[in-house]
């Protein structure tokens, strides 16, 4: 039976779940495609070639057992497929929705190299766990035997949530501190619903809360407690704040009204989707309705912004990026989705100045050309003089990426070690900072990266924290004796 179910890539074509028509999906913030029907998921999983060396797993940050749960799906053994998928990831249905599979597992699929089209791994992963939730296979979080020790986690984003689950299973009292009024970090307030509907995140948060994880929301370290105060309260600390400091645009008029930060814009939109009262949205400052919108940047955050502006009813949406399409950092799938929805990409362009009398009304754009490769291997953009153009703009959204906030100052912990980039300095073997018992994981260590890497770091840091706390407890007992 197993052999009959697999290796169908030669006779069965690649088929992703159908997307809704662009004009329909642009009217709401629902995800743009439904999940597979059961027969379609099994059929697509059966295209896997069951490689001896599964490059999909090798290139997955979580090293998910992808060929194995594809086989189980193809054979109709969905509960086993879910359990195997869940064994390496605390949120597979989230990664299945938002991972850039074209750069990771699917982009390294062997049958993709053979010209048959990659197995639709992300869509199958989403299908497996969504089915598990519906069928009641996702079991409650049951804490391990209480060990009398507690952990404080700063940041309730993907790294913090993942670590919280593993540490709770080990028997620790887990306290999650986050500045926002809802947990989830960028999963909740940064990523729009058309990529990740919010109930998907909230049911994970609710599961942790039901399992005894205590959430302290609206809590800012440095304002409500110093890092040292939290260290005195808990046996160990994990810093998993992510990176939230927006990179600046250096251009004349950048301080004009109507030039806004991407995260402010996305948070306002997501809060509105939750039904919150959002004054900055209602008065138009963070609402694209009827406006000519220009988004500056070429990463996934920029794609989130342009596609959000379309759904808010913008009169036009343009995306400026300093390199060409082949050299942009964002997902090519997201670019294609944006183009389908009416976004215009203006390649090899940067803002030279923002025009207007107090409020932005136009952007003067300097055109670029690609020169020699830079340190990243991509050809570096350089000015193409005498080729400037202008375009109307009532709302400009800056989406150039994020850097770390100055945590030593914010946390009242000047002794906390950072790198020259402002990320937290950690021991590569233990993931601990220079402060005893203070660990760090996710983007605050890596710099701005992918959600899947944050989940991986949250998974990896938990056993290091456990080992340190147990050793520390044994040492204390020995001294006391």
């Amino acid at each position: 039976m197993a052999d009959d179910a697999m290796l169908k890539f030669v006779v069965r074509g690649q088929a992703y779940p159908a997307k809704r028509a662009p004009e329909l999906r642009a009217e709401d913030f629902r995800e743009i495609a439904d999940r597979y029907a059961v027969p379609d998921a099994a059929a697509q999983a059966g295209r896997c070639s069951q490689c001896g060396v599964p490059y999909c797993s090798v290139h997955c940050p979580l090293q998910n057992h992808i060929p194995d749960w594809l086989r189980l799906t193809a054979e109709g053994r969905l509960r086993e497929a879910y359990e195997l998928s869940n064994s390496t990831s605390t949120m597979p249905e989230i990664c299945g929705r938002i991972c850039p599979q074209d750069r990771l597992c699917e982009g390294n699929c062997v049958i993709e190299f053979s010209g048959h089209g990659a197995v639709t791994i992300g869509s199958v992963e989403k299908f497996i766990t969504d089915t598990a939730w519906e069928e009641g296979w996702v079991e409650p979080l049951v804490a391990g035997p209480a060990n009398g020790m507690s952990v404080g986690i700063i940041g309730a984003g993907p790294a913090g949530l993942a670590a919280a689950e593993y540490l709770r299973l080990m028997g620790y009292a887990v306290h999650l501190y986050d500045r926002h009024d809802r947990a989830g970090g960028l999963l909740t307030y940064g990523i729009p619903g058309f990529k990740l509907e919010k109930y998907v995140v909230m049911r994970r948060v609710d599961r942790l809360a039901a399992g005894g994880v205590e959430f302290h929301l609206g809590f800012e370290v440095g304002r409500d407690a110093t890092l040292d105060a939290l260290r005195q309260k808990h046996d160990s600390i994990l810093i998993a704040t992510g990176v939230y400091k927006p990179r600046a645009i250096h251009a004349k008029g950048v301080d004009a009204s109507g030039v806004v930060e991407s995260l402010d814009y996305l948070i306002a939109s997501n809060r509105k989707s939750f039904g919150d009262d959002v004054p900055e949205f209602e008065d138009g400052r963070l609402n694209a309705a009827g406006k000519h919108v220009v988004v500056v940047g070429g990463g996934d955050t920029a794609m989130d912004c342009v596609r959000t502006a379309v759904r808010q009813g913008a009169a036009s949406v343009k995306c400026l990026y300093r390199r060409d399409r082949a050299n942009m950092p964002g997902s090519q799938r997201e670019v294609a989705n944006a183009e389908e929805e009416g976004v215009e990409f203006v390649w090899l362009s940067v803002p030279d100045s923002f025009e207007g009398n107090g409020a932005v009304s136009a952007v003067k754009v300097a055109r670029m050309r690609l020169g020699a490769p830079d340190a990243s291997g991509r050809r570096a953009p350089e000015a193409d003089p005498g080729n400037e153009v202008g375009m109307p703009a009532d709302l400009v959204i800056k989406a150039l990426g994020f850097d770390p906030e100055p945590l030593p100052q914010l946390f009242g912990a000047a002794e906390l070690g950072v790198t020259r980039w402002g990320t937290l300095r950690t021991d590569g073997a233990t993931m601990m900072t220079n402060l005893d018992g203070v660990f760090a994981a996710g983007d605050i260590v890596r710099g701005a990266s992918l959600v899947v890497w944050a989940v991986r770091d949250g998974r990896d840091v938990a056993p290091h924290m456990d080992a340190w706390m147990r050793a520390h407890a044994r040492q204390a007992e020995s001294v006391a004796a």
Side-chain angles (χ1 to χ4, degrees), residues 43 45 63 66 70 91 165 189 208 245 263 270 274 282 301 330 339 341 345 398 406 429 432 436 462 475:
Q63 277 84 60
I66 295 169
L70 286 172
M91 48 189 77
E165 178 162 342
Y189 285 130
L208 291 176
K245 180 182 176 183
L263 197 53
N270 278 310
F274 274 113
E282 302 298 344
T301 300
E339 288 179 326
E341 293 165 7
F345 286 84
K398 300 181 290 181
M432 190 161 69
D436 218 22
Q475 183 180 21

Side-chain angles (χ1 to χ4, degrees), residues 161 178 205 409:
L161 294 176
D178 197 272
V205 173
Q409 291 79 17

Side-chain angles (χ1 to χ4, degrees), residues 106-427:
E106 294 180 23
N108 291 279
C109 177
V110 168
I111 67 170
E112 171 78 9
F113 300 152
S114 71
H116 290 89
V119 178
T120 55
I121 297 167
S123 297
V124 175
E125 183 178 35
K126 169 186 171 182
F127 162 81
I128 291 170
T129 311
D130 281 355
T131 300
W133 279 102
E134 288 186 359
E135 296 295 330
W137 301 337
V138 180
E139 297 178 354
L141 173 61
V142 178
N147 57 28
M149 291 184 279
S150 73
V151 174
I153 300 176
I154 304 170
L161 294 176
E165 178 162 342
Y166 288 110
L167 288 163
R168 189 71 184 130
L169 288 169
M170 294 172 183
Y172 292 95
V174 178
H175 295 258
L176 262 167
Y177 301 89
D178 197 272
R179 68 177 72 172
H180 291 295
D181 59 347
R182 294 181 179 90
L186 291 180
L187 298 176
T188 299
Y189 285 130
I191 299 173
F194 51 78
K195 286 171 62 176
L196 178 63
E197 291 188 45
K198 299 310 158 190
Y199 78 90
V200 178
V201 182
M202 291 300 108
R203 67 188 179 189
R204 283 288 175 188
V205 173
D206 292 343
R207 179 174 172 272
L208 291 176
V213 174
E214 294 194 36
F215 289 87
H216 306 267
L217 302 176
F219 189 107
E220 288 192 26
V221 180
R223 182 194 69 187
D224 299 300
T226 63
L227 178 62
D228 186 61
L230 291 181
R231 292 179 72 192
Q232 297 300 317
K233 182 177 180 180
H234 299 290
D235 295 279
S236 184
I237 295 291
L238 172 64
I239 301 174
T241 57
V243 293
Y244 282 86
K245 180 182 176 183
R247 292 175 184 160
I249 293 177
H250 302 288
K252 180 183 176 183
V254 71
D255 295 327
S257 172
V259 181
V260 303
E261 301 293 352
S262 59
L263 197 53
D264 293 341
Y265 176 69
L266 292 172
I267 288 175
S269 178
N270 278 310
R271 284 194 176 281
K272 190 66 181 174
S273 295
F274 274 113
D276 294 352
D277 181 28
V278 188
E280 300 88 347
F281 182 92
E282 302 298 344
D283 66 19
R285 283 176 289 169
L286 296 175
N287 183 354
K291 296 180 180 179
H292 296 288
V293 178
V294 173
V295 176
V296 184
D300 289 333
T301 300
M303 299 305 100
D304 292 344
C305 290
V306 294
R307 298 182 65 203
T308 294
V310 167
R311 284 157 175 78
Q312 290 178 350
S316 67
V317 183
K318 293 182 172 64
C319 182
L320 306 185
Y321 181 55
R322 59 182 182 155
R323 291 184 168 95
D324 61 6
R325 182 174 191 146
N327 286 280
M328 73 176 302
S331 167
Q332 291 294 330
R333 290 182 187 173
E334 284 300 292
V335 175
N337 287 332
E339 288 179 326
E340 291 171 2
E341 293 165 7
V343 175
E344 179 184 345
F345 286 84
V346 186
W347 308 111
L348 294 167
S349 300
V350 297
D352 181 68
S353 63
F354 301 98
E355 310 294 326
N357 185 18
V360 68
S361 60
V363 180
K364 184 179 178 182
V365 176
R367 304 309 298 264
M368 310 293 284
R369 61 193 178 200
L370 294 180
D374 61 14
S376 70
R378 293 184 296 168
R379 294 175 63 190
E382 57 187 33
D384 187 8
N387 208 3
E388 295 82 12
V389 297
M391 59 183 63
D394 308 306
L395 177 64
V396 175
I397 304 170
K398 300 181 290 181
L400 275 71
F402 303 95
D403 290 321
E405 296 169 290
L407 293 193
Q409 291 79 17
L410 290 177
F411 286 4
E415 68 277 15
L416 184 62
V418 298
T419 68
R420 62 190 178 97
W421 300 281
T423 52
L424 292 187
R425 188 183 301 278
T426 59
D427 182 290

